[in-house]
Amino acid sequence: MCGRYAASRGPEDLAEVFGIEKWEPTEALEPDYNVAPTKQVYVVLDRPLKDAQDPRPVRQLRALKWGLVPSWAKNPDGAARMINARAESLHEKPSFRRPFAQRRCIVPADGYYEWVTGTDERQLEVEGKRKRPRKQPYFVLPADGSVFAMAGIYEFWRDRTLPDDHPAAWWVTCSVITTEAETAPLGVAPADGPASLAEIHPRMPLMLTPDRWDAWLDPRQTDLDRLRGLLAPPAAGLMRAYPVATAVSNVRNNGPELLHELDAPKLGTLW
């Protein structure tokens, strides 16, 4: 899954990477090393400009709320539960089917965090010496240090309690698409730790390689069979993972130090 990630790149950097044609300085976000559900996050999307005579889709960098609210929802209360959408069932789920066909985006990140319960901690739990075993966080990122382009979808929701001219009348929210985690060896694996992403967690964000960006973002492409072909995982061995400090487990902690690589896990033997 993807429940927490880091996103430190600014608009200028993302504009160069993705070929952004338009972004609003008023939507600028600070670097965030501990992105949590319901926060505002950057997404890349192709969409015609509002009130423009030219119907051509324009590549934009937008700040949306992480946690999708379906257009038909009575209220936004379930947004925090819709941070992820499974690639295998996107075309079937009522909450995700239409956004998948019409409103796809890329959620740029440095990488994502995942937590692993070590063998020492599991043994303490079995012995009744620990009710809640501690977990070692790992940071997972592209092995070459490039932007982690996570596949996403977005949706519009109208707050009917507000008048049409209210700035908060429309919500634009997003979800990160996940797929089965790779079982093949990591491109760069920690010396003492998991050898594959599947050993960290059974799910992972779906990474889009640059050759798929244009097709994924094109709103004119609505054929579900062709779109489902874009959900195939990329080649194995493109990722690396390393242990980080448990400070990341507290969402109030935020800073580049959260990405510091530990020499070894701090919570005992993991494998």
Side-chain angles (χ1 to χ4, degrees):
M1 63 177 294
C2 179
R4 209 82 67 78
Y5 69 92
S8 66
R9 290 175 170 85
E12 293 80 5
D13 189 6
L14 295 175
E16 182 176 353
V17 171
F18 292 103
I20 301 297
E21 299 176 75
K22 180 176 177 57
W23 71 281
E24 294 292 342
T26 56
E27 294 185 357
L29 302 174
E30 293 294 323
D32 195 336
Y33 299 89
N34 204 351
V35 181
T38 73
K39 279 189 173 183
Q40 292 289 116
V41 300
Y42 279 137
V43 306
V44 178
L45 56 86
D46 284 6
R47 186 177 177 84
L49 296 176
K50 187 177 181 180
D51 300 326
Q53 294 183 348
D54 185 356
R56 177 183 65 89
V58 174
R59 184 152 302 176
Q60 306 174 44
L61 182 67
R62 300 296 306 273
L64 311 186
K65 184 182 288 290
W66 185 23
L68 191 138
V69 180
S71 60
W72 43 261
K74 294 182 179 180
N75 58 62
D77 293 347
R81 297 192 300 272
M82 297 243 185
I83 60 171
N84 293 158
R86 295 174 69 94
E88 298 86 345
S89 57
L90 268 176
H91 62 293
E92 300 173 338
K93 298 294 184 181
S95 298
F96 303 135
R97 185 170 56 228
R98 193 161 75 172
F100 174 47
Q102 301 177 357
R103 287 180 281 279
R104 297 173 302 280
C105 63
I106 290 174
V107 184
D110 302 329
Y112 70 99
Y113 300 102
E114 199 56 80
W115 283 257
V116 179
T117 302
T119 54
D120 291 352
E121 289 291 308
R122 283 196 293 267
Q123 185 59 36
L124 289 174
E125 183 182 26
V126 170
E127 296 172 357
K129 297 178 180 179
R130 195 183 300 284
K131 292 183 178 180
R132 298 183 62 185
R134 296 176 298 171
K135 296 186 177 184
Q136 172 64 54
Y138 275 79
F139 189 60
V140 183
L141 69 162
D144 63 2
S146 61
V147 174
F148 188 5
M150 301 188 293
I153 53 176
Y154 68 99
E155 184 59 288
F156 294 91
W157 180 76
R158 174 69 166 87
D159 187 345
R160 298 298 176 184
T161 66
L162 299 175
D164 290 343
D165 59 351
H166 195 283
W170 284 95
W171 289 36
V172 192
T173 59
C174 63
S175 183
V176 172
I177 297 172
T178 66
T179 187
E180 289 187 357
E182 295 176 3
T183 57
L186 285 160
V188 179
D192 179 18
S196 71
L197 291 177
E199 291 183 6
I200 298 176
H201 194 279
R203 306 288 299 177
M204 64 174 289
L206 176 63
M207 182 173 74
L208 294 173
T209 49
D211 59 300
R212 297 186 184 182
W213 291 354
D214 289 346
W216 177 256
L217 293 174
D218 189 350
R220 296 165 296 192
Q221 177 57 264
T222 60
D223 182 85
L224 291 181
D225 288 335
R226 293 189 63 181
L227 291 172
R228 290 175 67 186
L230 298 174
L231 297 174
L238 298 179
M239 309 298 290
R240 67 172 298 218
Y242 61 80
V244 294
T246 56
V248 72
S249 300
N250 187 333
V251 71
R252 291 190 293 272
N253 294 326
N254 204 318
E257 67 278 2
L258 297 180
L259 302 185
H260 176 69
E261 182 175 356
L262 301 181
D263 294 332
K266 296 300 185 182
L267 298 182
T269 304
L270 292 178
W271 271 265

